[in-house]
Amino acid sequence: MKKTVALTIGIVLLCGALLLGGTWVYARSQAGTEAAPLALTSVAPSASSDPADDSSGVAGTAGPVADGTYAVDTGSQAGYRVDEVLSGQDVTVVGRTSDVRGGVTVEAGMLTAASIEVDMTTIETDDSGRDRQFLGILDTSAHPTATFVLTSPVDLSGLASGTATVEATGTLTIKGVAHEVTVTLDAQTVADGAQVSGSIPVTFSDYDVSAPNLGFVTVEDTGTVELLLELTPSGS
């Protein structure tokens, strides 16, 4: 009987060692391999042969952003980036989704309105188990989306040179909890509209989100929300 108990304990300890060892190996292999932050992609210069033509205000040239409404189009992405300690190893976790909707309005060279919605239920990392936990922590059955709504106009005159960095203030809502945030946005005009990227620092507990601590893995209470928006004129 004693031999049986000892053998059982030995098997349990061995399985635990293999599990933790495998987790440690996984953490080591993943360290430094996370996806880069979402950022503007390179865009070829305007094909205009006359530099003076670039002041026409047509999207895609080095001129003011054309007034009008722009929709979030295919190719847009959003997600989160957070650091965790997995079996003693520092790992950066990146989750992404392309289920991003919304639109913006430009009037007289000012961004006067913007509303962006992200489907949190479709955000994926490199681990399905982590993704299931993510859905539970954010209570996505009750709060499936996160939103950002602009609350103050933004001057876009810097885009006269084709690219600009601006500060935008708005309301970020996660898990039904809203906070005013300021996000640094990089923007550029492209042939069929505009492209915008940015990241918002967040403290998860501010949104009633509890960072998990499972013993062999602990997650930081701070992270960033990332976005890359492809904007095209509405109706195009």
Side-chain angles (χ1 to χ4, degrees):
M1 179 65 178
K2 292 182 179 180
K3 291 183 177 180
T4 302
V5 172
L7 179 60
T8 301
I9 294 174
I11 291 174
V12 170
L13 291 175
L14 177 60
C15 289
L18 289 173
L19 175 60
L20 292 176
T23 304
W24 182 86
V25 170
Y26 170 79
R28 290 281 292 178
S29 69
Q30 294 301 304
T33 66
E34 68 276 0
L38 293 173
L40 301 179
T41 58
S42 298
V43 176
S46 168
S48 172
S49 58
D50 183 356
D53 290 344
D54 286 343
S55 63
S56 63
V58 176
T61 66
V65 180
D67 287 354
T69 58
Y70 294 79
V72 175
D73 208 346
T74 303
S76 299
Q77 297 182 67
Y80 69 90
R81 179 179 300 268
V82 63
D83 293 329
E84 68 179 23
V85 179
L86 180 60
S87 292
Q89 300 297 313
D90 294 330
V91 176
T92 298
V93 176
V94 178
R96 295 273 169 82
T97 180
S98 59
D99 286 337
V100 186
R101 298 174 293 275
V104 307
T105 301
V106 177
E107 297 178 321
M110 301 287 291
L111 179 64
T112 58
S115 179
I116 310 300
E117 182 179 274
V118 179
D119 186 345
M120 305 294 277
T121 68
T122 61
I123 291 181
E124 294 182 343
T125 66
D126 59 351
D127 184 272
S128 59
R130 179 192 290 120
D131 297 340
R132 287 191 296 272
Q133 186 180 62
F134 173 83
L135 296 178
I137 291 173
L138 290 181
D139 191 15
T140 55
S141 59
H143 307 286
T145 62
T147 61
F148 173 83
V149 178
L150 187 73
T151 55
S152 299
V154 179
D155 185 0
L156 300 179
S157 60
L159 277 173
S161 62
T163 62
T165 298
V166 298
E167 299 287 322
T169 300
T171 301
L172 177 66
T173 302
I174 299 174
K175 199 180 176 183
V177 180
H179 283 284
E180 184 174 279
V181 298
T182 298
V183 53
T184 300
L185 299 174
D186 294 323
Q188 66 182 1
T189 53
V190 295
D192 55 353
Q195 189 181 70
V196 178
S197 69
S199 61
I200 306 172
V202 296
T203 298
F204 300 121
S205 56
D206 288 345
Y207 297 88
D208 292 341
V209 176
S210 300
N213 184 341
L214 305 179
F216 65 91
V217 56
T218 57
V219 179
E220 297 293 330
D221 185 44
T222 58
T224 56
V225 173
E226 300 180 342
L227 56 86
L228 174 64
L229 304 178
E230 303 286 351
L231 301 172
T232 57
S234 295
S236 65

